[in-house]
Amino acid sequence: MNIAVIGAGYVGLITAAGMAETGHRVICVDDDLHKIEVLNSGRMPFYEPGLEDLVERNRRAKRLEFVSHIEDAVAECQAIFICVGTPTLENGEADLSSVELVARRISECARGYHLVIEKSTVPVQTGRRLQRHFGVYRKSSQFHCDVASNPEFLREGSGVEDFFHPDRIVVGVDSEKAAALLEGIYQPVLEQSFVCPIHENCASRSRVPFVITDINSAELIKHASNSFLAMKISFINMIADLCEAVGADVGKVAEAVGMDKRIGASFLRPGVGFGGSCFPKDLQAFVRVGQDAGCDFALLREVERINQRRIDLFVNKIKEELWVVRGKRIGVWGLAFKPRTDDVRSSPPLAVIRRLLAEGALVRAYDPQAMEKAKAQAPEIEYCADAYAAAQGAEAVLALTEWEEFLRLDLMKVRQIMARPLILDGRNMFSCATMAAQGFEYVDIGSGSPARKHQLGAS
Ligand code: UGA
């Protein structure tokens, strides 16, 4: 099928490349001319493991093309996926102006039947508004359409894997025709019948559940999923604080709690909190949705508040160790909001660093992928060539993004080059015992009281 994907961000680009790989012809549209130029020259506008190869292979095979004019794509494609950004307005609501603009452009140029699918994360009832919009603004009486919601559940850093091996595909429709078209589009993924571009011996080949709902429910499923995951993180962070206060080990607590199949082990890693372009934004938008509908969403406000407090608590820990931070050299490992991405939007590491810079610390940081993007947001940081350079002469190193490369560092060397061998681990990526054995003072999240840390450090 010919498919138009509007928006070449994380979601749009992975969707476009994934659909092309599974046999469709995809036209990906973005009004950012520079981005289109970058993509057409075989480069990538952002880092995402496995995506560059996928895009390039399909572009060369002419199954995937990049254009800046929506008209060309609409004329050739029956299915149109809207994958544009929905950032947060000051009042917490999702800003739907880009979605509306795309809808307006479609209304102006579409003829015949189209299936318009919202993939951007949008508040419930956006589909209804789109339907009304097309009714009011369509230029041609020949244009008629179905609107569908098809929320995406891609994680940055593993987006390609998530596209090919999703836990489920959710579609919100109000016609059988729309459901059938979407089932056709996703058939290779649903049946896992494609040649897997990421795994040599692809094990995960059972049929993917295809969940068909009404449009409102599909829209809500996305916000509810992200909010639930964010809630799990804030929950374990709350427990981590208690563990620190009473002298228990949050790692063990999370492990055993997560063994209960009803709870599940994932998203129970404590740390400096969740960031990125999704959880903070979606949580705020969902709280607004609840509020506007007259429902009590105080639970989610608390999830947000706990998350914001993670930065205060971590900065307090740093000060507890260093006392005065002004003029002190602090090394930072990790700037991205999580590993395997160069994304620094709502990045907890940057939030911690900003606080330290404001208090006069000298911050020297390293991240394997995110330094270019961080430079644009925080030019005051001294960026280093590698993790050792960031640790050189530092009175403390903050480990803030759990990149695998940090686990392979020569810790003996790190200890020797630091002014004081103090590591504050905001992601619990190292083990207390290993760090103590290597002669570090080590502070993590939620593995007992500060006294325990010093005992371990001294042993
Ligand atoms: C999230 C969801 O996981 C995806 O399913 C969804 O499609 C996506 O948002 C979206 O709405 O587009 P993403 O933001 O890429 O994906 O990243 P996650 O892996 O969910 O991590 C989010 C944040 O939570 C990161 O800062 C991470 O470090 C933090 N986190 C995650 C924890 O602090 N603890 C955990 O146990 C797990």
Side-chain angles (χ1 to χ4, degrees):
M1 191 183 292
N2 283 0
I3 294 171
V5 173
I6 319 296
Y10 281 95
V11 176
L13 200 50
I14 294 171
T15 303
M19 286 185 173
E21 179 75 13
T22 55
H24 301 292
R25 179 174 165 245
V26 183
I27 306 180
C28 185
V29 185
D30 201 295
D31 58 7
D32 179 342
L33 291 176
H34 175 66
K35 196 184 266 185
I36 294 298
E37 211 178 286
V38 164
L39 286 163
N40 276 329
S41 67
R43 290 171 293 138
M44 291 294 291
F46 52 82
Y47 170 75
E48 178 69 29
L51 187 57
E52 190 166 356
D53 282 353
L54 200 65
V55 167
E56 207 33 28
R57 186 168 55 249
N58 284 285
R59 199 176 66 86
R60 283 178 192 275
K62 307 234 178 296
R63 285 189 299 264
L64 176 60
E65 62 184 291
F66 298 102
V67 302
S68 54
H69 293 295
I70 198 168
E71 294 79 9
D72 306 346
V74 170
E76 291 191 47
C77 303
Q78 192 174 47
I80 306 168
F81 283 85
I82 303 180
C83 302
V84 294
T86 51
T88 310
L89 290 169
E90 258 175 35
N91 63 4
E93 254 175 59
D95 179 354
L96 297 177
S97 50
S98 297
V99 175
E100 206 245 3
L101 189 66
V102 170
R104 201 170 268 254
R105 297 231 171 100
I106 294 172
S107 310
E108 281 163 6
C109 63
R111 311 267 178 282
Y113 174 82
H114 290 277
L115 173 61
V116 180
I117 308 131
E118 14 153 83
K119 215 176 207 338
S120 305
T121 302
V122 290
V124 62
Q125 294 186 332
T126 302
R128 295 262 170 273
R129 288 184 188 281
L130 278 174
Q131 281 166 332
R132 213 179 304 156
H133 177 103
F134 290 129
V136 173
Y137 288 101
R138 68 185 178 145
K139 279 267 160 65
S140 162
S141 57
Q142 288 159 19
F143 170 39
H144 58 114
C145 71
D146 276 313
V147 169
S149 163
N150 171 217
E152 62 77 26
F153 303 99
L154 309 176
R155 292 160 300 171
E156 285 182 26
S158 19
V160 174
E161 159 114 33
D162 291 342
F163 177 87
F164 288 104
H165 304 297
D167 290 340
R168 75 297 206 193
I169 289 176
V170 175
V171 297
V173 290
D174 62 5
S175 81
E176 281 179 16
K177 182 174 181 178
L181 278 171
L182 279 159
E183 192 164 5
I185 290 171
Y186 280 114
Q187 195 177 15
V189 177
L190 291 170
E191 292 174 354
Q192 293 285 288
S193 57
F194 53 87
V195 177
C196 184
I198 32 181
H199 308 109
E200 256 177 42
N201 296 313
C202 195
S204 151
R205 301 301 265 185
S206 51
R207 195 183 156 84
V208 172
F210 188 54
V211 183
I212 305 176
T213 72
D214 60 279
I215 299 174
N216 283 346
S217 301
E219 290 166 339
L220 212 141
I221 286 166
K222 174 61 194 267
H223 267 154
S225 300
N226 273 5
S227 301
F228 190 84
L229 292 171
M231 185 176 74
K232 276 185 99 174
I233 299 170
S234 281
F235 179 84
I236 203 64
N237 280 331
M238 176 187 80
I239 299 296
D241 292 345
L242 179 64
C243 287
E244 276 178 18
V246 301
D249 182 347
V250 72
K252 285 285 167 215
V253 174
E255 189 185 346
V257 168
M259 281 174 183
D260 185 327
K261 288 193 185 68
R262 295 168 303 173
I263 296 172
S266 58
F267 281 73
L268 288 178
R269 280 180 288 112
V272 281
F274 57 78
S277 66
C278 304
F279 283 178
K281 163 180 86 77
D282 290 355
L283 208 55
Q284 280 188 34
F286 206 29
V287 166
R288 274 301 293 215
V289 166
Q291 195 176 303
D292 292 349
C295 300
D296 181 359
F297 266 42
L299 171 68
L300 294 187
R301 263 197 231 106
E302 204 49 30
V303 168
E304 212 182 338
R305 198 189 63 82
I306 291 173
N307 196 54
Q308 281 159 1
R309 283 260 300 151
R310 301 315 294 161
I311 305 300
D312 298 336
L313 292 173
F314 195 71
V315 170
N316 288 348
K317 276 189 175 177
I318 300 167
K319 288 189 186 164
E320 178 64 29
E321 295 302 322
L322 292 181
W323 188 21
V324 173
V325 297
R326 178 170 299 280
K328 290 201 172 130
R329 185 185 274 214
I330 299 177
V332 172
W333 291 342
L335 296 161
F337 81 97
K338 67 172 198 178
R340 293 163 63 83
T341 177
D342 62 355
D343 198 343
V344 293
R345 286 176 287 176
S346 299
S347 157
L350 282 189
V352 169
I353 291 171
R354 283 200 184 96
R355 295 278 298 275
L356 296 174
L357 289 170
E359 299 205 19
L362 309 170
V363 176
R364 292 165 51 82
Y366 166 74
D367 186 286
Q369 291 293 339
M371 293 206 284
E372 277 314 305
K373 293 210 165 134
K375 271 177 201 166
Q377 287 200 21
E380 323 83 288
I381 298 173
E382 200 177 320
Y383 292 91
C384 299
D386 59 28
Y388 297 110
Q392 180 82 44
E395 300 208 26
V397 162
L398 317 179
L400 298 180
T401 314
E402 62 274 43
W403 285 97
E404 278 168 23
E405 129 171 16
F406 298 148
L407 296 174
R408 293 194 299 267
L409 289 169
D410 176 349
L411 290 174
M412 189 81 88
K413 177 172 167 185
V414 172
R415 186 167 56 77
Q416 280 162 0
I417 59 178
M418 288 181 71
R420 172 181 167 189
L422 168 63
I423 306 264
L424 290 110
D425 187 348
R427 291 290 180 192
N428 286 4
M429 65 183 105
F430 299 105
S431 101
C432 218
T434 311
M435 296 313 265
Q438 295 275 356
F440 283 96
E441 297 174 71
Y442 178 70
V443 182
D444 65 2
I445 307 270
S447 73
S449 65
R452 184 160 176 255
K453 177 223 51 149
H454 288 300
Q455 280 159 19
L456 281 168
S459 66

